[in-house]
Coordinates of all heavy atoms in Angstrom, one line a residue:
V56 N 64.2 151.9 126.9 CA 64.3 150.6 127.5 C 62.9 150.0 127.6 O 62.0 150.6 128.2 CB 64.9 150.6 128.9 CG1 65.0 149.2 129.6 CG2 66.3 151.2 128.9
I57 N 62.7 148.9 126.9 CA 61.4 148.2 126.9 C 61.4 147.2 128.0 O 62.2 146.3 128.1 CB 61.1 147.5 125.6 CG1 61.1 148.6 124.4 CG2 59.8 146.8 125.6 CD1 61.0 147.9 123.1
I58 N 60.5 147.3 129.0 CA 60.4 146.5 130.1 C 59.3 145.5 129.9 O 58.1 145.9 129.6 CB 60.2 147.3 131.4 CG1 61.4 148.3 131.6 CG2 60.1 146.3 132.6 CD1 61.3 149.1 132.8
V59 N 59.6 144.2 129.9 CA 58.7 143.1 129.5 C 58.4 142.1 130.6 O 59.2 141.2 130.9 CB 59.3 142.4 128.3 CG1 58.2 141.4 127.7 CG2 59.8 143.3 127.2
P60 N 57.3 142.3 131.3 CA 56.9 141.2 132.3 C 56.7 139.9 131.6 O 56.1 139.8 130.5 CB 55.6 141.7 132.9 CG 55.6 143.2 132.6 CD 56.3 143.4 131.3
A61 N 57.3 138.8 132.2 CA 57.2 137.5 131.5 C 55.8 136.9 131.7 O 55.1 137.2 132.7 CB 58.3 136.6 132.2
G62 N 55.5 136.1 130.7 CA 54.2 135.4 130.8 C 54.3 134.2 131.7 O 54.0 134.3 132.9
D63 N 54.7 133.1 131.1 CA 54.9 131.9 131.9 C 56.3 131.3 131.6 O 56.4 130.4 130.8 CB 53.8 130.9 131.5 CG 53.9 129.6 132.3 OD1 54.5 129.6 133.4 OD2 53.3 128.6 131.8
P64 N 57.3 131.8 132.2 CA 58.7 131.4 131.8 C 58.9 129.9 132.2 O 58.7 129.5 133.3 CB 59.6 132.3 132.6 CG 58.7 132.8 133.7 CD 57.3 132.9 133.2
P65 N 59.3 129.1 131.2 CA 59.5 127.7 131.5 C 60.4 127.3 132.6 O 60.2 126.4 133.3 CB 60.0 127.1 130.1 CG 59.5 128.1 129.1 CD 59.6 129.4 129.8
H66 N 61.5 128.1 132.8 CA 62.5 127.8 133.8 C 62.0 128.2 135.2 O 62.7 127.9 136.2 CB 63.8 128.5 133.5 CG 63.7 130.0 133.6 ND1 63.0 130.8 132.6 CD2 64.3 130.9 134.4 CE1 63.2 132.1 132.9 NE2 63.9 132.2 134.0
K67 N 60.8 128.8 135.3 CA 60.3 129.1 136.6 C 59.0 128.5 137.0 O 58.2 129.0 137.8 CB 60.2 130.7 136.8 CG 61.6 131.4 136.8 CD 61.5 132.8 137.2 CE 62.9 133.4 137.3 NZ 62.9 134.8 137.7
R68 N 58.7 127.4 136.3 CA 57.4 126.7 136.5 C 57.3 126.0 137.9 O 56.2 125.7 138.3 CB 57.2 125.7 135.4 CG 56.8 126.4 134.1 CD 56.4 125.4 133.0 NE 56.0 126.1 131.8 CZ 56.1 125.7 130.6 NH1 56.7 124.5 130.4 NH2 55.7 126.4 129.6
N69 N 58.5 125.9 138.6 CA 58.4 125.3 139.9 C 58.2 126.4 141.0 O 58.1 126.2 142.2 CB 59.7 124.6 140.3 CG 60.9 125.6 140.2 OD1 60.9 126.6 139.6 ND2 62.0 125.2 140.9
R70 N 58.0 127.7 140.5 CA 57.8 128.8 141.4 C 56.4 129.4 141.1 O 56.1 129.7 139.9 CB 58.9 129.8 141.2 CG 58.9 130.9 142.2 CD 60.0 132.0 141.9 NE 61.3 131.4 141.8 CZ 62.4 132.1 141.4 NH1 62.2 133.4 141.1 NH2 63.5 131.5 141.3
R71 N 55.7 129.7 142.1 CA 54.3 130.3 141.9 C 54.5 131.7 141.7 O 55.0 132.5 142.5 CB 53.5 130.0 143.2 CG 52.1 130.6 143.1 CD 51.3 130.3 144.3 NE 50.1 131.1 144.4 CZ 49.5 131.3 145.6 NH1 49.9 130.7 146.7 NH2 48.4 132.0 145.6
L72 N 54.0 132.2 140.5 CA 54.0 133.6 140.2 C 52.7 134.3 140.5 O 51.7 133.7 140.5 CB 54.3 133.8 138.7 CG 55.7 133.3 138.2 CD1 55.8 133.5 136.7 CD2 56.8 133.9 138.9
S73 N 52.8 135.6 140.8 CA 51.6 136.4 140.9 C 51.0 136.5 139.5 O 51.6 136.3 138.5 CB 51.9 137.8 141.3 OG 52.5 137.8 142.6
A74 N 49.7 136.8 139.5 CA 49.0 136.9 138.2 C 49.7 137.9 137.3 O 50.2 138.9 137.8 CB 47.5 137.3 138.4
A75 N 49.7 137.6 136.0 CA 50.3 138.5 135.1 C 49.7 139.9 135.2 O 50.5 140.9 135.1 CB 50.2 138.0 133.6
A76 N 48.4 140.0 135.4 CA 47.8 141.3 135.5 C 48.4 142.2 136.6 O 48.6 143.4 136.5 CB 46.3 141.2 135.6
S77 N 48.6 141.5 137.7 CA 49.2 142.2 138.9 C 50.6 142.7 138.6 O 51.0 143.8 139.0 CB 49.2 141.3 140.1 OG 47.8 141.0 140.5
R78 N 51.4 141.8 138.0 CA 52.8 142.1 137.7 C 52.9 143.3 136.7 O 53.7 144.2 136.8 CB 53.5 140.9 137.2 CG 53.7 139.9 138.4 CD 54.5 138.7 138.0 NE 53.8 137.8 137.1 CZ 54.2 137.6 135.8 NH1 55.2 138.2 135.3 NH2 53.5 136.7 135.1
V79 N 52.0 143.3 135.7 CA 51.9 144.4 134.7 C 51.5 145.7 135.4 O 52.1 146.7 135.2 CB 50.9 144.0 133.6 CG1 50.6 145.3 132.8 CG2 51.4 142.9 132.7
R80 N 50.6 145.6 136.3 CA 50.1 146.8 137.1 C 51.3 147.4 137.9 O 51.5 148.6 137.9 CB 49.0 146.5 138.0 CG 47.6 146.7 137.3 CD 46.5 146.7 138.3 NE 46.3 145.4 139.0 CZ 45.6 144.4 138.5 NH1 45.0 144.5 137.4 NH2 45.5 143.2 139.2
M81 N 52.1 146.5 138.5 CA 53.2 147.0 139.3 C 54.3 147.6 138.4 O 54.8 148.7 138.8 CB 53.8 145.8 140.1 CG 52.9 145.4 141.3 SD 53.7 144.2 142.4 CE 53.7 142.7 141.5
V82 N 54.6 147.0 137.3 CA 55.6 147.6 136.4 C 55.2 148.9 135.9 O 55.9 149.9 135.9 CB 56.0 146.6 135.3 CG1 56.8 147.3 134.2 CG2 56.7 145.4 135.8
K83 N 53.9 149.0 135.5 CA 53.4 150.3 135.0 C 53.5 151.4 136.0 O 53.9 152.5 135.7 CB 51.9 150.1 134.5 CG 51.3 151.3 133.9 CD 49.9 151.0 133.4 CE 49.2 152.2 132.7 NZ 47.9 151.9 132.2
A84 N 53.1 151.0 137.3 CA 53.2 152.0 138.4 C 54.7 152.4 138.6 O 55.0 153.5 138.9 CB 52.6 151.4 139.6
A85 N 55.6 151.4 138.5 CA 57.0 151.7 138.9 C 57.7 152.6 137.9 O 58.6 153.3 138.3 CB 57.8 150.3 138.9
I86 N 57.2 152.6 136.6 CA 57.9 153.4 135.6 C 57.2 154.7 135.3 O 57.7 155.5 134.4 CB 58.2 152.6 134.4 CG1 56.9 152.3 133.7 CG2 59.0 151.4 134.7 CD1 57.1 151.5 132.3
V87 N 56.2 155.1 136.0 CA 55.5 156.3 135.7 C 56.4 157.5 135.9 O 57.2 157.5 136.9 CB 54.3 156.5 136.7 CG1 53.8 157.9 136.8 CG2 53.1 155.6 136.3
G88 N 56.4 158.4 134.9 CA 57.3 159.6 135.0 C 58.6 159.4 134.3 O 59.4 160.4 134.2
N89 N 58.9 158.2 133.9 CA 60.2 158.0 133.1 C 59.9 157.8 131.7 O 59.4 156.8 131.3 CB 60.9 156.8 133.7 CG 62.4 156.7 133.2 OD1 62.6 157.1 132.0 ND2 63.3 156.3 134.0
D90 N 60.2 158.9 130.9 CA 59.7 158.8 129.5 C 60.5 157.8 128.6 O 60.0 157.5 127.5 CB 59.9 160.2 128.9 CG 58.9 161.2 129.5 OD1 57.9 160.8 130.0 OD2 59.2 162.5 129.4
H91 N 61.7 157.4 129.0 CA 62.4 156.5 128.2 C 62.2 155.0 128.7 O 62.9 154.1 128.1 CB 63.9 156.8 128.1 CG 64.6 157.1 129.4 ND1 64.7 158.4 129.9 CD2 65.1 156.3 130.4 CE1 65.3 158.4 131.1 NE2 65.6 157.1 131.4
F92 N 61.4 154.8 129.6 CA 61.0 153.4 130.0 C 59.6 153.1 129.3 O 58.7 153.9 129.4 CB 60.8 153.2 131.5 CG 62.1 153.1 132.2 CD1 62.1 153.0 133.6 CD2 63.4 153.2 131.6 CE1 63.3 152.9 134.3 CE2 64.6 153.1 132.2 CZ 64.6 153.0 133.6
V93 N 59.5 152.0 128.7 CA 58.3 151.6 128.0 C 57.8 150.2 128.5 O 58.6 149.2 128.5 CB 58.5 151.5 126.5 CG1 57.2 151.2 125.8 CG2 59.0 152.9 126.0
L94 N 56.6 150.1 128.9 CA 56.0 148.8 129.3 C 55.5 148.0 128.0 O 54.9 148.6 127.2 CB 54.9 148.9 130.2 CG 54.0 147.7 130.5 CD1 54.8 146.6 131.3 CD2 52.8 148.1 131.3
S95 N 55.9 146.8 127.9 CA 55.4 145.9 126.8 C 54.7 144.7 127.4 O 55.2 144.0 128.2 CB 56.5 145.5 125.9 OG 56.1 144.5 124.9
R96 N 53.5 144.4 126.8 CA 52.7 143.3 127.2 C 52.9 142.1 126.2 O 52.1 141.2 126.1 CB 51.2 143.6 127.2 CG 50.9 144.7 128.2 CD 49.4 144.9 128.2 NE 48.6 143.7 128.3 CZ 48.0 143.3 129.5 NH1 48.1 144.1 130.5 NH2 47.4 142.2 129.5
V97 N 54.0 142.2 125.3 CA 54.2 141.2 124.3 C 54.2 139.8 124.8 O 53.8 138.9 124.1 CB 55.4 141.6 123.4 CG1 56.7 141.4 124.2 CG2 55.5 140.8 122.2
D98 N 54.7 139.6 126.0 CA 54.9 138.3 126.5 C 53.6 137.8 127.2 O 53.2 136.7 127.0 CB 56.1 138.2 127.5 CG 56.8 136.9 127.4 OD1 57.0 136.5 126.2 OD2 57.3 136.4 128.4
V99 N 53.0 138.7 128.0 CA 51.8 138.2 128.7 C 50.6 138.1 127.9 O 49.6 137.4 128.2 CB 51.5 139.1 129.9 CG1 52.7 139.2 130.9 CG2 51.2 140.6 129.5
D100 N 50.6 138.7 126.7 CA 49.4 138.7 125.8 C 49.5 137.6 124.7 O 48.7 137.6 123.8 CB 49.2 140.0 125.1 CG 48.6 141.1 126.1 OD1 48.1 140.7 127.2 OD2 48.7 142.3 125.8
R101 N 50.5 136.7 124.8 CA 50.6 135.6 123.8 C 50.6 134.3 124.5 O 50.9 134.2 125.7 CB 51.8 135.8 123.0 CG 53.1 135.6 123.8 CD 54.3 136.0 122.9 NE 55.6 135.8 123.6 CZ 56.4 134.7 123.6 NH1 56.0 133.6 122.9 NH2 57.5 134.7 124.3
P102 N 50.2 133.2 123.8 CA 50.2 131.9 124.4 C 51.6 131.4 124.6 O 52.5 131.8 123.9 CB 49.4 131.1 123.3 CG 49.6 131.8 122.1 CD 49.7 133.2 122.4
G103 N 51.8 130.5 125.6 CA 53.1 130.0 125.8 C 53.4 128.8 124.9 O 52.6 128.5 124.0
P104 N 54.6 128.2 125.1 CA 55.6 128.6 126.1 C 56.3 129.9 125.8 O 56.4 130.3 124.6 CB 56.6 127.4 126.0 CG 56.5 126.9 124.6 CD 55.1 127.1 124.2
H105 N 56.7 130.6 126.9 CA 57.2 131.9 126.7 C 58.8 131.9 126.8 O 59.4 132.0 127.8 CB 56.7 132.8 127.8 CG 55.2 133.0 127.7 ND1 54.3 132.2 128.3 CD2 54.5 133.9 127.0 CE1 53.1 132.6 128.0 NE2 53.2 133.7 127.2
Y106 N 59.4 131.7 125.6 CA 60.8 131.7 125.5 C 61.3 133.1 125.2 O 60.7 133.8 124.4 CB 61.3 130.7 124.5 CG 61.0 129.2 124.8 CD1 60.1 128.5 124.1 CD2 61.7 128.7 125.9 CE1 59.9 127.1 124.5 CE2 61.5 127.3 126.3 CZ 60.6 126.6 125.5 OH 60.3 125.3 125.9
T107 N 62.4 133.4 125.7 CA 63.0 134.8 125.5 C 63.2 135.1 124.0 O 62.9 136.2 123.6 CB 64.3 134.9 126.3 OG1 64.0 134.8 127.7 CG2 64.9 136.3 126.0
I108 N 63.7 134.2 123.3 CA 64.0 134.4 121.9 C 62.8 134.8 121.1 O 62.8 135.7 120.2 CB 64.7 133.2 121.2 CG1 65.1 133.6 119.8 CG2 63.9 132.0 121.3 CD1 66.0 134.8 119.6
D109 N 61.6 134.2 121.4 CA 60.4 134.5 120.7 C 59.9 135.9 121.1 O 59.4 136.7 120.2 CB 59.3 133.5 121.1 CG 59.6 132.1 120.7 OD1 60.3 131.9 119.6 OD2 59.3 131.1 121.4
M110 N 60.1 136.3 122.4 CA 59.7 137.7 122.8 C 60.6 138.7 122.0 O 60.1 139.7 121.6 CB 59.9 137.8 124.3 CG 59.7 139.2 124.8 SD 61.2 140.1 125.0 CE 61.9 139.4 126.5
V111 N 61.9 138.4 121.9 CA 62.8 139.3 121.3 C 62.5 139.5 119.8 O 62.5 140.6 119.3 CB 64.3 138.9 121.5 CG1 65.2 139.6 120.5 CG2 64.7 139.0 122.9
R112 N 62.1 138.4 119.2 CA 61.8 138.4 117.7 C 60.5 139.3 117.5 O 60.5 140.1 116.6 CB 61.5 137.0 117.2 CG 62.8 136.2 117.0 CD 62.4 134.8 116.7 NE 63.5 134.0 116.3 CZ 63.5 132.6 116.3 NH1 62.4 132.0 116.8 NH2 64.5 131.9 115.9
L113 N 59.6 139.1 118.4 CA 58.3 139.9 118.3 C 58.6 141.4 118.5 O 58.1 142.3 117.7 CB 57.3 139.5 119.3 CG 56.7 138.1 119.0 CD1 55.9 137.6 120.3 CD2 55.7 138.2 117.8
L114 N 59.5 141.7 119.4 CA 59.8 143.1 119.6 C 60.6 143.7 118.4 O 60.4 144.8 118.0 CB 60.6 143.3 120.9 CG 59.8 143.2 122.2 CD1 60.8 143.2 123.4 CD2 58.8 144.3 122.3
R115 N 61.5 142.9 117.9 CA 62.3 143.3 116.8 C 61.4 143.7 115.6 O 61.6 144.7 114.9 CB 63.3 142.3 116.4 CG 64.2 142.7 115.1 CD 65.2 141.7 114.8 NE 66.4 141.7 115.7 CZ 67.3 142.7 115.7 NH1 67.2 143.7 114.8 NH2 68.3 142.7 116.5
D116 N 60.4 142.8 115.4 CA 59.5 143.0 114.3 C 58.6 144.3 114.4 O 58.1 144.9 113.5 CB 58.5 141.8 114.1 CG 59.2 140.6 113.6 OD1 60.4 140.7 113.1 OD2 58.7 139.5 113.7
S117 N 58.5 144.7 115.7 CA 57.7 145.9 115.9 C 58.5 147.2 115.9 O 57.9 148.3 115.9 CB 57.0 145.8 117.3 OG 57.9 146.0 118.4
L118 N 59.8 147.1 115.8 CA 60.7 148.3 115.9 C 61.1 148.7 114.5 O 61.1 147.9 113.5 CB 61.9 148.0 116.7 CG 61.6 147.8 118.2 CD1 62.8 147.2 118.9 CD2 61.2 149.1 118.9
P119 N 61.6 149.9 114.3 CA 62.0 150.3 113.0 C 63.2 149.4 112.5 O 64.0 149.0 113.3 CB 62.5 151.8 113.2 CG 61.8 152.2 114.4 CD 61.6 151.0 115.3
A120 N 63.2 149.2 111.2 CA 64.3 148.4 110.6 C 65.6 149.0 110.9 O 65.8 150.2 110.9 CB 64.1 148.3 109.1
G121 N 66.5 148.1 111.2 CA 67.9 148.5 111.6 C 68.1 148.9 113.0 O 69.2 149.3 113.4
S122 N 67.1 148.7 113.9 CA 67.2 149.0 115.3 C 68.2 148.0 115.9 O 68.3 146.9 115.6 CB 65.9 148.9 116.0 OG 65.0 149.9 115.6
E123 N 69.0 148.6 116.8 CA 70.0 147.7 117.5 C 69.5 147.4 118.9 O 69.1 148.3 119.7 CB 71.3 148.5 117.7 CG 72.5 147.6 118.2 CD 73.8 148.4 118.1 OE1 73.9 149.5 117.7 OE2 74.8 147.7 118.5
L124 N 69.4 146.1 119.2 CA 68.8 145.6 120.4 C 69.9 145.3 121.5 O 70.9 144.6 121.1 CB 67.9 144.4 120.2 CG 66.8 144.6 119.2 CD1 65.9 143.4 119.1 CD2 66.0 145.9 119.5
F125 N 69.6 145.7 122.7 CA 70.5 145.3 123.8 C 69.6 144.6 124.9 O 68.7 145.2 125.4 CB 71.1 146.6 124.4 CG 72.0 147.4 123.5 CD1 71.4 148.2 122.5 CD2 73.3 147.2 123.5 CE1 72.2 148.9 121.6 CE2 74.2 148.0 122.7 CZ 73.6 148.8 121.7
F126 N 70.0 143.4 125.2 CA 69.2 142.6 126.1 C 69.8 142.6 127.5 O 71.0 142.2 127.6 CB 69.1 141.1 125.6 CG 68.2 140.3 126.4 CD1 66.8 140.3 126.2 CD2 68.7 139.5 127.4 CE1 65.9 139.5 127.0 CE2 67.8 138.7 128.2 CZ 66.5 138.7 128.0
L127 N 69.1 143.2 128.4 CA 69.6 143.3 129.8 C 69.4 142.1 130.6 O 68.3 141.5 130.6 CB 68.9 144.5 130.5 CG 69.4 145.9 130.2 CD1 69.4 146.2 128.7 CD2 68.6 146.9 131.0
M128 N 70.5 141.7 131.3 CA 70.4 140.4 132.1 C 71.4 140.5 133.3 O 72.3 141.3 133.3 CB 70.7 139.2 131.3 CG 72.1 139.2 130.7 SD 72.3 138.0 129.3 CE 71.4 136.6 129.8
G129 N 71.2 139.7 134.3 CA 72.1 139.6 135.4 C 73.3 138.6 135.0 O 73.1 137.8 134.1
S130 N 74.4 138.8 135.6 CA 75.5 137.9 135.3 C 75.2 136.4 135.6 O 75.7 135.5 135.0 CB 76.7 138.3 136.2 OG 77.2 139.5 135.8
D131 N 74.3 136.2 136.6 CA 73.8 134.8 136.9 C 73.1 134.2 135.7 O 73.3 133.0 135.3 CB 73.0 134.7 138.1 CG 71.8 135.7 138.1 OD1 71.8 136.7 137.3 OD2 70.9 135.5 138.9
S132 N 72.3 135.1 135.0 CA 71.6 134.6 133.8 C 72.6 134.3 132.6 O 72.5 133.4 131.9 CB 70.6 135.6 133.3 OG 69.5 135.7 134.3
L133 N 73.6 135.2 132.5 CA 74.6 135.0 131.5 C 75.4 133.7 131.8 O 75.7 133.0 130.8 CB 75.6 136.2 131.5 CG 76.7 136.1 130.5 CD1 76.2 136.0 129.1 CD2 77.7 137.3 130.6
R134 N 75.7 133.4 133.0 CA 76.4 132.2 133.4 C 75.6 131.0 132.9 O 76.2 130.0 132.5 CB 76.6 132.2 134.9 CG 77.2 130.9 135.5 CD 77.1 130.9 137.0 NE 75.7 130.9 137.4 CZ 75.3 131.3 138.6 NH1 76.2 131.7 139.5 NH2 74.0 131.3 138.9
D135 N 74.2 131.0 133.0 CA 73.4 129.9 132.7 C 72.9 129.9 131.2 O 72.1 129.1 130.8 CB 72.2 129.9 133.6 CG 72.6 129.8 135.1 OD1 73.7 129.2 135.3 OD2 71.8 130.2 135.9
L136 N 73.3 130.9 130.4 CA 72.8 131.1 129.1 C 72.9 129.9 128.2 O 71.9 129.7 127.4 CB 73.5 132.3 128.4 CG 72.9 132.8 127.1 CD1 71.5 133.3 127.3 CD2 73.8 133.9 126.5
P137 N 73.9 129.1 128.2 CA 73.9 127.9 127.4 C 72.7 127.0 127.6 O 72.4 126.2 126.7 CB 75.2 127.2 127.7 CG 76.1 128.3 128.2 CD 75.2 129.2 128.9
N138 N 72.0 127.1 128.7 CA 70.8 126.2 129.0 C 69.6 126.8 128.5 O 68.5 126.2 128.5 CB 70.7 126.0 130.5 CG 71.9 125.3 131.1 OD1 72.5 124.4 130.4 ND2 72.3 125.7 132.3
W139 N 69.6 128.1 128.0 CA 68.4 128.7 127.5 C 68.0 128.1 126.1 O 68.8 127.7 125.3 CB 68.6 130.2 127.3 CG 68.7 131.0 128.6 CD1 69.2 130.5 129.8 CD2 68.4 132.4 128.8 NE1 69.1 131.5 130.7 CE2 68.7 132.7 130.1 CE3 67.9 133.4 127.9 CZ2 68.5 133.9 130.6 CZ3 67.8 134.6 128.5 CH2 68.0 134.9 129.8
H140 N 66.7 128.2 125.8 CA 66.1 127.8 124.6 C 66.7 128.6 123.4 O 66.5 129.8 123.5 CB 64.6 127.8 124.6 CG 63.9 127.4 123.4 ND1 63.9 126.1 122.9 CD2 63.2 128.1 122.5 CE1 63.2 126.1 121.8 NE2 62.7 127.3 121.5
L141 N 67.3 128.0 122.4 CA 67.8 128.7 121.3 C 68.7 129.9 121.7 O 68.6 131.0 121.1 CB 66.7 129.1 120.3 CG 65.8 128.0 119.8 CD1 64.7 128.6 118.9 CD2 66.6 127.0 119.0
A142 N 69.6 129.7 122.6 CA 70.4 130.7 123.1 C 71.3 131.3 122.0 O 71.6 132.5 122.0 CB 71.3 130.2 124.3
D143 N 71.7 130.5 121.1 CA 72.6 131.0 120.0 C 71.9 132.1 119.1 O 72.5 133.0 118.7 CB 73.1 129.9 119.1 CG 72.0 129.0 118.5 OD1 70.9 128.9 119.1 OD2 72.2 128.5 117.4
R144 N 70.5 131.9 119.0 CA 69.8 132.8 118.2 C 69.6 134.1 119.0 O 69.5 135.2 118.4 CB 68.4 132.2 117.8 CG 68.6 131.0 116.9 CD 67.3 130.5 116.4 NE 67.6 129.2 115.7 CZ 66.6 128.5 115.1 NH1 65.3 128.9 115.2 NH2 66.9 127.3 114.5

Side-chain angles (χ1 to χ4, degrees):
V56 177
I57 301 175
I58 301 179
V59 190
D63 181 20
H66 66 291
K67 293 193 176 180
R68 284 186 178 148
N69 62 336
R70 190 183 305 176
R71 181 181 164 196
L72 296 179
S73 298
S77 293
R78 294 185 286 112
V79 167
R80 274 193 292 275
M81 287 190 287
V82 169
K83 185 176 182 180
I86 65 175
V87 164
N89 191 324
D90 292 339
H91 49 264
F92 286 178
V93 180
L94 168 67
S95 172
R96 298 181 54 101
V97 68
D98 220 38
V99 299
D100 286 346
R101 67 187 178 94
H105 296 90
Y106 292 113
T107 298
I108 183 57
D109 298 325
M110 176 264 284
V111 168
R112 284 170 172 162
L113 288 169
L114 287 176
R115 180 176 284 286
D116 289 345
S117 71
L118 293 168
S122 294
E123 190 172 3
L124 303 186
F125 297 80
F126 186 82
L127 279 56
M128 63 196 319
S130 293
D131 53 340
S132 295
L133 179 60
R134 178 191 58 200
D135 300 334
L136 188 62
N138 300 320
W139 287 28
H140 179 68
L141 299 179
D143 57 331
R144 298 187 188 178

